[in-house]
Amino acid sequence: MTLLDLWLSHSIPMCLLLQSLVLMALCFPSASMCPKVCICQRDSHLHGFNVTCSQSRLKEIPPSLPADTVLLRLDHNQIGAVPDQAFHGLRFLRELNLSYNAVETLGEGAFSGIEATLQVLDLSHNRITSVHKDAFARLKARVIVDDNPWHCDCALQQAIGGMAHNHEAAARVLCRSSEVHDQEGRPFLAVDTDLCNLAKRTTDYAMLVTMFGWFAMVISYVVYYVRQNQEDARRHLEYLKSLPSKPKKPDEADDISTVV
């Protein structure tokens, strides 16, 4: 028999029924708040929900999550991207587990809106190769980034530089590939080269080579043009020399004899 049946049969007072409904609303989130593939449980100590979506074959982050989620487990799924502001409405979120997914890159606003409250961020065992230079800039959380195929470049160097409070995490970043070939397979913190200046120098060299190529092409064209004109002039002169001289008229010869 349900609470409503009891009330209709006058077995319990109306106030007790309302109290029971309030308790149920507090202890169990509505279906519209909790994604179908997840389990949402209220944490009385943290005054919010623990939302578990582990091993649910998710390919993207669920769009509808309880606004007062404090712990969110999305590990062991197939999530390939973290869109900007994906967690923007979760202003009480303390722990976010995205480990064992297929995330390849992180944008500037991937964790926008949860910077102030987030305490633990697990990104281990993904496919992350690159991140925006400001992806972790405003985070105060402990970030776990183990076992990702990092490409060590200028953006990553800037991102790691913004994680001064996460020295342990930065120490675990290994370069799967790098702008500096002899750094491959080494810890990122062992890279003593300024990759941003290296990229700038590489760009400058490329521009210099390009400009030199254009200059050489212009010089070659000018030389070709001058030589071609000289050759045309020489041929025209030879043509003029090959023409027969104009014979004198008989009247002109007689006039000359008379004068003599």
Side-chain angles (χ1 to χ4, degrees), residues 112-169:
S112 175
I114 58 174
E115 302 95 337
T117 60
L118 195 65
Q119 297 177 3
V120 179
L121 172 61
D122 193 346
L123 293 166
S124 62
H125 301 279
N126 273 274
R127 302 174 185 173
I128 304 174
T129 57
S130 62
V131 296
H132 189 277
K133 63 183 183 66
D134 295 324
F136 306 124
R138 292 176 290 275
L139 283 178
K140 300 177 182 179
R142 173 175 172 258
V143 183
I144 305 171
V145 293
D146 303 23
D147 294 298
N148 281 286
W150 294 102
H151 175 69
C152 296
D153 58 2
C154 173
L156 180 59
Q157 194 166 52
Q158 290 176 318
I160 295 298
M163 297 171 63
H165 54 287
N166 266 299
H167 184 81
E168 179 184 354

